[in-house]
Amino acid sequence: MSDLNAAAYRLIEAPRRTNLSERFFGRYRRVGLRGLLTDTNRVATWADVPGEAALGGYAWQRGDSRTRRWLPQGITTSADAYGPDPTAGTVDGRHLVLTSWYANHVFGFIFGSRISVMDCTDTMVAPYRHVLLVNPRRFLGINWLTTIRVHAGGIVWYGGYLYVAGGQHGIRVFRLDDIVRVRNRFRTKSYRYVLPQFTFYDADHDKDVGEMMYSFMSLDRTGDVDHLIAGEYGRKGGSHRLMRYPLDRKTELLRRDDRGWAVPAELYDRQVERMQGATLVDDTWVITASNGKGKPGDLWVGHPGDYVRHAGVLPTGPEDVTYWPQRKQLWSLTEWPRQRWVYAIDAEKWARRPGSRH
């Protein structure tokens, strides 16, 4: 545990504007995740992935592999959503992977953030489709859709909800049943499917501590209480914090105290530099860290303050990471154009300290 007080940080849920959501759904066709899966329009293919720890993975379709407008960031799976039980972890028998992307500014236009829903049931090919993240708003009596403009460096699929890291502003939350199909794509930047924001948690902290940057996230189901892991990217000299927020299994939202605040159960300060993702395999922490474009990434394994570094075993540009217990694998992804994969790592081999029993 850090010397910092975990109670000095909190996430405060914003009031939900149900009236705006209902107006929005009254104009668009809500199809949910299952409806989207019947209308995938792209295909990723199995490929070799560089890096000693990589088992192999999926390469994006050509345009998505090369684009500089969009950069892949976060990853979560249906195993996160529906638990570690051997009979769980799928949607209608399908093994799904969700990833997040953020858009660079292009000619002054801000394209926002999106997710990709990928069906990885087949080892060799994985159909997928992009979904734009939007926020319904009302201005001058007119209903508008604005893009969600966050880095989306980490995502967590928990039950029916998708949590998206929002940087210094906290966490955005979406309900996957709310995926809608639009007719006129002019207002949705050519996207046929969009996902409206359900609510968000605003980041707050005491005056005597520095603000937390919610850079990436993952899910921890190792104990009696599920936790949302939130982490902070930072270079040398940064704070590099990790936090665990308790989740409510009934509501599938963050647990709140008497004040209505979500407060971390644990906080660890001064962890690994350039962390891009962190998750737990049983009681062992696994962290991905980048070293710059063209340089292989690192895998750190252990416990807060006591990690072993596996240097250069990941492909260049590693990002978020999640644990897939049914497969005994970690899954991650990379961001650089022409070097983009969604790939697996053998957890039994890599998610343990050298010399430890497994």
Side-chain angles (χ1 to χ4, degrees):
M1 182 75 71
S2 167
D3 293 335
L4 293 176
N5 181 10
Y9 298 87
R10 54 255 172 193
L11 290 166
I12 303 174
E13 186 178 2
R16 299 175 197 164
R17 294 177 293 176
T18 306
N19 60 330
L20 279 182
S21 297
E22 292 309 314
R23 287 173 181 165
F24 174 79
F25 293 128
R27 300 185 60 185
Y28 297 93
R29 180 187 171 197
R30 181 160 35 184
V31 299
L33 185 64
R34 287 172 172 83
L36 176 77
L37 289 170
T38 65
D39 194 23
T40 54
N41 62 345
R42 299 165 189 252
V43 177
T45 54
W46 190 257
D48 292 331
V49 179
E52 183 183 352
L55 290 174
Y58 295 99
W60 298 99
Q61 193 165 297
R62 181 184 176 95
D64 293 325
S65 175
R66 298 187 175 194
T67 180
R68 297 180 182 276
R69 175 181 298 175
W70 291 95
L71 299 176
Q73 295 294 304
I75 188 168
T76 186
T77 74
S78 48
D80 283 340
Y82 299 112
D85 188 276
T87 62
T90 64
V91 176
D92 297 336
R94 301 183 187 187
H95 300 271
L96 303 182
V97 172
L98 272 58
T99 62
S100 62
W101 308 60
Y102 83 94
N104 283 316
H105 294 198
V106 180
F107 303 120
F109 293 98
I110 302 175
F111 287 86
S113 311
R114 71 185 185 189
I115 62 169
S116 300
V117 178
M118 180 182 290
D119 185 350
C120 297
T121 307
D122 189 317
T123 304
M124 302 309 296
V125 295
Y128 68 96
R129 185 154 197 155
H130 301 312
V131 180
L132 187 68
L133 301 181
V134 297
N135 190 17
R137 293 184 178 274
R138 188 170 178 81
F139 182 68
L140 297 178
I142 302 174
N143 295 325
W144 297 85
L145 290 177
T146 59
T147 55
I148 300 292
R149 300 171 184 177
V150 296
H151 195 76
I155 55 176
V156 167
W157 182 2
Y158 187 64
Y161 293 96
L162 181 69
Y163 292 75
V164 178
Q168 67 188 37
H169 300 295
I171 296 173
R172 307 293 184 109
V173 183
F174 302 80
R175 200 165 47 187
L176 288 169
D177 283 345
D178 290 344
I179 293 176
V180 298
R181 188 178 193 274
V182 299
R183 293 180 180 179
N184 183 355
R185 293 190 282 182
F186 176 76
R187 298 178 63 189
T188 58
K189 303 188 184 301
S190 79
Y191 284 80
R192 176 64 70 191
Y193 292 90
V194 300
L195 179 57
Q197 179 175 283
F198 173 72
T199 188
F200 70 91
Y201 293 96
D202 193 25
D204 192 22
H205 57 86
D206 290 351
K207 293 182 180 179
D208 58 343
V209 297
E211 68 179 3
M212 170 69 178
M213 180 68 70
Y214 292 83
S215 303
F216 54 83
M217 297 188 303
S218 68
L219 182 64
D220 169 28
R221 289 185 181 268
T222 57
D224 295 333
V225 176
D226 299 332
H227 290 83
L228 183 78
I229 296 171
E232 183 176 47
Y233 171 86
R235 299 188 181 184
K236 188 174 182 180
S239 51
H240 318 124
R241 285 166 286 196
L242 288 172
M243 297 180 179
R244 292 204 311 155
Y245 283 91
L247 287 156
D248 187 320
R249 288 180 178 173
K250 292 183 178 179
T251 67
E252 299 175 347
L253 297 171
L254 294 179
R255 281 191 179 182
R256 298 186 293 181
D257 62 17
D258 294 339
R259 297 163 295 184
W261 297 353
V263 178
E266 296 174 329
L267 184 154
Y268 304 100
D269 192 19
R270 298 181 295 276
Q271 299 302 296
V272 176
E273 294 177 6
R274 304 180 71 105
M275 289 190 299
Q276 298 283 2
T279 194
L280 276 164
V281 178
D282 297 326
D283 64 344
T284 301
W285 286 82
V286 180
I287 294 171
T288 56
S290 60
N291 293 305
K293 188 174 183 179
K295 298 179 180 179
D298 299 338
L299 198 65
W300 295 75
V301 178
H303 301 92
D306 184 23
Y307 297 107
V308 171
R309 179 189 182 191
H310 299 285
V313 299
L314 299 179
T316 184
E319 290 294 328
D320 201 16
V321 64
T322 187
Y323 178 47
W324 200 324
Q326 291 89 346
R327 298 188 178 195
K328 300 187 184 305
Q329 294 173 344
L330 295 151
W331 277 68
S332 186
L333 73 171
T334 57
E335 72 170 343
W336 299 119
R338 299 174 184 266
Q339 295 177 303
R340 287 183 180 148
W341 302 276
V342 177
Y343 64 96
I345 298 168
D346 184 346
E348 292 191 307
K349 178 179 180 180
W350 293 98
R352 59 189 178 96
R353 293 170 56 86
S356 66
R357 294 182 178 180
H358 191 75

